[in-house]
Amino acid sequence: MSVGAPIPTAWTTGTTEVLKTGTWRAALPRYVSAPSPCHLACPVAGESAEWIGRVRERDFRGAWEILVRNNPFPATAGRICHRPCEGACNRSGFDSSLAIRALERHVGDRAIAEGWRFPPPPSERAEPVAVVGGGPSGLSAAYHMRRRGYRVALFERERELGGLMRYGIPAYRLPRAVLDAEIDRILALGIDLRLGAAIDRPEDLARLRAEFGAVYLAVGAGRQKRLQTLDYEKPWAIDGAAWLRRANAGRPPALGPRLAVVGGGSAAIDVARGARRFGHEVTLIALEREGEMLAQRSEIEEAIEEGVRLQDGAMIERVTERGAKSLALECVRVDFIAGAERGSFRVERIAGSEFRIAADAVVSAIGQDPDLGAIEGALSTRRALIETGEAQTTSAPDLYAGGDAASMERFVTAAIGMGRRAALAIDASFAAARRERGAASERPVPLAAIATFYYPKGERPCERRLGVEERLRGEAEVEFGILPEEAPREAERCFSCGTCIFCDNCFLYCPDLAVRRIPSGYEVLGDYCKGCGICVKECPTGSMEMAEELR
Amino acid sequence: MRNAPPDRMLLTGNHAVAWAARLARPKVLPVYPITPQTPILEKLSEFEAKGELDAEVITPESEHSVMAASIAASLAGARVFTATASQGLLLMHELLHYASGARAPIVVANVNRTVASPWGFWPDETDSLAQRDAGWIQFYCESAQDCLDTVIAAFRIAESVLVPAMVNLDAFYVSHALEPVSVPGQELVDAFLPPYSPPHRIDPQNPESWGNVVSQEMYCRHRRDLGEAMARVFEVALETEREWSRLTGRSSPIIERYRCEGARTVIVAMGSLCGTARDAVDALREGAEAVGLLKVRLFRPLPVEALRAALAGVAEILVLDRNYSPGYGGVLHQELRGALYGIADPPKIHGRLAGVGGVNVSAERIAELVREAAAGEARRESVWVEG
Amino acid sequence: MRALAVGYEPILSSGHAACPGCIEALTVRHVAAALGTNTVAVVPPSCMAIIAGPQPFSSFKIPVYQPSLEASAAAATGLRRALDAQEKRDTLVAVFAGDGGTYDIGFQCLSSAAERNEDFIYFCFDNEGYMNTGAQKSSATPHFAKTGSTPAGKASKKKNLTEIMAAHGVPYVATACAGYLADLIRKGEKATRIRGTRIITLLVPCLDGWGLADDCGLEAARFAVESGVFPLYEVEEGCRYTLNEAGKTRPVRDYLSLQRRYRHATPEEIDALQAEVDAGWARLLERVAASRESGLTPSAK
């Protein structure tokens, strides 16, 4: 049968792909790798979104490897970090912030249990580097230098490494087995360890500078600040650091049963709680009101649980000896007014609010200053600290400083972070300069950038603690880690702010099929994208943004 | 196929249509009842139910859906047949355009019945003539045999040019009148009408879409293409007629000249009126009056050249219209005037609105009309004939 | 957040003429893909017919036939039967129609096809009005919504298509929307495994017709579900009800406040709408409970 000639007006012959609808748009979406609020808040540059993503996939080893890129102490930090990340977490504006520290502890504990080790440095470098101080900051610097292949000599005045982590923080908060495991793992990288080697005098430092290409000073803050109202010559007055040092060694000073502890930071809490464990009745006297104290909220709660009586917003005005042992502490309520700089403040006494506390001894833990004998004349200082720049640089090009000796930010993880920054700076001074991501100028991903629809609401796992009676019996760790099955579930709650999780939303929700999968992720097809912004709106991690186009 | 038909059967026009459709082996049969077409659908449904016809019978809720289903089925590559009448055809109106625009060679039998209102059941061709601009081929049948032959031929022609075709038969006078009909065997029809297999169809193996929005230029070209396909109908119909004649000995030309030799007056008509007009011509010829009949079997496309050739040299033309276009007159009358415009020695054309609404027009009355016309002047407008 | 694994071949192509951010285009992208390439589609005049592409280009990599506005279900019937007659019984026939072409002018023929249980899947892209002609009222337009033909707000309620089609006793009737993409795809795929008339009503927020920002269509769809305005559910064999999103967690007001078409609504009208939604939700829950009690609960969700 014959059929009519072709009728091209009746049936189609091709697809609309020849029509480039990209000309319609005014803005094009693009992928951004933006810092998460937790990452920016983290003193150790936590890359939290990445490692939590690995936990979500139950790749704990992968999570640990990301964690230790920045912090060699995940099990330690996972216990004692002041967790600024959780305060910044976008999830807190949705249901409750992610239990980041608990996840970190979980990963860190797994690493210890599994015996995961750091790989040897990929190459060895000739430049020798010295680190002074074997506390968190010095160990962190040594670790980062060593992983980059530098020969590192570590000078520590004490017989054991750890600094504040060993001599300040009690074992019920940081079990020594955990600390030792994390320190041993660093040492296994091959560090020239010089224990019992104090660098106290200018000539000690001069010798180091002659021998080493760069020196990182992380000597800590060993000199206790003292209350003018106390006579430290008396047997009933003692520094908090000294008390802790002896208590942590199992031999607390012999003091009467009623102890007054003065201070509002972690050290004061540690003294108070430690004293409870040695049977003392404890009253804690802090200038700040309870909500303003520098100690972490959970520490204060735990102290009160353990029977520490808190006298907040108060100070001792005078101590009167009554008989051989008993003291009368004449106190007054005060208004605590924080100053602009960290650590600065003033108080105003409230007239007529005087009260009295009976005690047998007073332990003051009101802060410490570094002992800067070694640097005298070599470096400039500011308010009793070594003056440093952003990358822990000092006024001498070969000297770097960090930790409590250079900062009033008296947190272990802050010290670890400074050690890392110093190591990177030293490395950069030797090698070509490198910039790391997450610079302070970058804006964190806001909650509004997260498509929260994709996240069911949930609560963070509850923090479980040892019963009070058992706590007071000894050194048992107070806080429990989260359960193994809880970790990936909690990691599911992470918004992965600013980190693409390859969820395909941008690809799947494009009405114009203008997003293509490519091996490294996704690509927006400018030929077809009409600029509607659905991909940006549906991104569950805030990893996309619209960029205006000028044509 | 079981139950091969006897060579000759006593059939109504409707059943002749049904037999023709059966022999054409349609694959899809959407149907909806309406008087006086209903016997066609019932007969076809019966054939299918008995297993004598292998087709998908669809029973939608309206003629509109019948035509919608027909178009889609045709575009998917199936041969489609349906039947309707009057209001049913009018309800299809919108889709008649869709069908021709989609170039779907559906064949529809339409039993010509008065259009409402007022309500009636009588023979009148206004229903189908109102569809003359819908892009369908239109045939008008005089008898049951004519119906059978035309339905089969319509498939072959429609599928050749990819234009749908409508086969019209007058209500009752043709649809319900019994007469002996020569019914060809299935093998003969299969040889005449091979299975429908269009090169382009809706098929996921070769995804082409149909009916997408077009530009002005494309629309214009598309309409022109439809006109060109229509223009090919004459040649295809001629070839089809020759083949049918070879196979059956019956000939059904697109226009039939009956006793027109030397005719001074020629009656021009369509459908059932032709049968009566034949009797009138016979009677007049017996009285030695030079009168003939021109039966217009193909109305769309209008065979203008064939009409001009057939009517050249005739003095008087009497056009009988069993239809009425208010404000225009008899449709055949007016179209013929246009077709013959500019012819040499133009005949006088007398238009008569005879049999509108099924009014009976006898052979005697037609003879009178012939005489009256010859005696009077031709008027531009069509003239009503009282019953 | 878990990634949605979608592995199928795309059927919609880039370069189509839907508005930026169009939920109808997004929805049909996934619906068509869930059906697969062995499918033919019917698209009546509608926004979808524009999305389908200007001759000679098609945005669909399956054949599409565009019938008249009121005849989609009949055209689908014709395709189905012609394919059956050619022994192409595995080829799916789908309709992608708008609400005007379904609730209004196409309703008669849809009802008839459903009564015959014709074997096709009918997707109604319900944007609650004649949006391709610039937003006029259809019988899918909800109470109080402002359109070009209801400038003071629509005086009557929205027709409940899902219930009407369920009352035909067809094997599968469901609602879905692109805001719940996994549910949408699951229903599309489920429909392909059933024979007979399957009808899925898809809520398609229209950016222009409803007065939404370019990137707000999905949010509107989700608010519609969360407020109970558009419950996601399935009805099998006309009697087995399954509710897919069980919580009504949001007041209707939240949903209305996203849209310009309700900006004129008075507090009384909003209360009235809330009452209508509450009543509809309660009725739906009763039906779900009744089918559970009578042991009619479908096996697969």
Side-chain angles (χ1 to χ4, degrees), chain B residues 27-28 56-62 64-66 68-78 91 94-95 98 102 201-215 218, chain C residues 37-40 45 52-58 60-71 74-79 81-86 88-89 91 108-109 112 116 118:
Chain B
K27 287 293 179 195
V28 176
E56 294 283 334
V57 175
I58 309 174
T59 55
E61 84 296 343
S62 70
H64 191 281
S65 286
V66 163
S70 297
I71 299 166
S74 178
L75 292 178
L91 185 57
E94 179 204 16
L95 293 177
Y98 258 86
R201 68 177 82 186
I202 294 172
D203 176 9
Q205 298 301 313
N206 180 30
E208 293 168 338
S209 289
W210 293 66
N212 288 40
V213 66
V214 294
S215 66
M218 277 186 217
Chain C
T37 52
N38 191 11
T39 303
V40 297
Q55 183 69 16
F57 307 114
S58 174
F60 289 97
K61 288 170 183 153
I62 52 173
V64 169
Y65 169 58
Q66 298 196 15
S68 65
L69 179 52
E70 66 284 15
T77 302
L79 286 178
R81 301 301 196 89
L83 291 166
D84 287 351
Q86 296 171 71
K88 295 176 187 168
R89 291 176 195 277
T91 300
Q108 167 176 319
C109 93
S112 172
R116 300 190 306 275
E118 294 286 353

Side-chain angles (χ1 to χ4, degrees), chain C residues 17-291:
Chain C
C19 300
C22 176
I23 302 304
E24 180 147 319
L26 171 59
T27 307
V28 81
R29 169 187 171 178
H30 292 288
V31 163
L35 301 177
T37 52
N38 191 11
T39 303
V40 297
V42 172
V43 174
S46 56
C47 290
M48 192 68 76
I50 302 302
I51 294 170
Q55 183 69 16
F57 307 114
S58 174
S59 63
F60 289 97
K61 288 170 183 153
I62 52 173
V64 169
Y65 169 58
Q66 298 196 15
S68 65
L69 179 52
E70 66 284 15
S72 301
T77 302
L79 286 178
R80 169 79 278 151
R81 301 301 196 89
L83 291 166
D84 287 351
Q86 296 171 71
E87 300 300 333
K88 295 176 187 168
R89 291 176 195 277
D90 292 337
T91 300
L92 292 172
V93 175
V95 177
F96 304 148
D99 53 284
T102 304
Y103 286 70
D104 285 352
I105 194 168
F107 185 69
Q108 167 176 319
C109 93
L110 172 61
S111 175
S112 172
E115 173 273 321
R116 300 190 306 275
N117 198 22
E118 294 286 353
D119 183 22
F120 59 70
I121 312 178
Y122 192 106
F123 294 96
C124 174
F125 290 76
D126 184 359
N127 53 26
E128 304 195 321
Y130 291 88
M131 298 312 178
N132 194 38
T133 48
Q136 295 81 33
K137 165 260 165 183
S138 78
S139 56
T141 303
H143 208 169
F144 305 120
K146 190 170 175 170
T147 71
S149 51
T150 55
K154 189 181 174 230
S156 54
K157 294 178 197 170
K158 174 172 176 150
K159 193 191 271 186
N160 191 330
L161 182 74
T162 306
E163 290 302 314
I164 295 167
M165 296 324 296
H168 284 69
V170 293
Y172 189 62
V173 181
T175 61
C177 72
Y180 291 78
L181 194 54
D183 181 70
L184 169 78
I185 292 168
R186 178 184 67 78
K187 284 168 178 167
E189 288 175 348
K190 178 173 180 175
T192 65
R193 296 190 295 271
I194 299 170
R195 287 268 163 167
T197 310
R198 294 142 278 172
I199 301 131
I200 301 181
T201 303
L202 305 160
L203 186 70
V204 175
C206 174
L207 306 178
D208 196 47
W210 295 17
L212 298 165
D214 275 6
D215 58 0
C216 251
L218 291 169
E219 186 173 30
R222 287 171 190 150
F223 276 32
V225 172
E226 288 165 5
S227 62
V229 166
F230 187 79
L232 296 180
Y233 68 111
E234 298 162 277
V235 190
E236 288 164 84
E237 304 296 345
C239 57
R240 295 200 306 270
Y241 280 69
T242 310
L243 192 57
N244 310 115
E245 283 293 323
K248 186 155 79 72
T249 56
R250 194 181 276 288
V252 170
R253 191 179 350 99
D254 287 6
Y255 169 62
L256 305 186
S257 65
L258 292 178
Q259 309 171 46
R260 200 171 50 230
R261 63 177 174 158
Y262 288 109
R263 200 163 287 169
H264 64 287
T266 64
E268 293 74 30
E269 287 173 338
I270 293 171
D271 290 346
L273 258 179
Q274 181 70 57
E276 285 171 21
V277 168
D278 291 346
W281 182 260
R283 201 162 52 238
L284 180 59
L285 290 185
E286 276 169 28
R287 285 175 188 168
V288 171
S291 57

Side-chain angles (χ1 to χ4, degrees), chain B residues 112-135:
Chain B
N112 293 113
R113 171 190 146 187
T114 50
V115 296
S117 60
W119 207 27
F121 308 96
W122 322 120
D124 188 301
E125 289 150 6
T126 306
D127 56 358
S128 56
L129 289 170
Q131 315 307 325
R132 62 188 169 160
D133 299 330

Side-chain angles (χ1 to χ4, degrees), chain A residues 11 13-14 492 507-508 530, chain C residues 2 14 18 29-30 55-56 58:
Chain A
W11 55 78
T13 57
E492 290 267 0
F507 166 75
L508 290 172
K530 295 171 185 164
Chain C
R2 283 281 156 195
S14 296
R29 169 187 171 178
H30 292 288
Q55 183 69 16
S58 174

Side-chain angles (χ1 to χ4, degrees), chain B residues 289-307:
Chain B
E289 290 178 67
V291 177
L293 166 70
L294 186 71
K295 168 181 164 183
V296 177
R297 187 164 154 274
L298 177 70
F299 176 74
R300 274 292 181 275
L302 188 68
V304 173
E305 291 309 320
L307 289 169

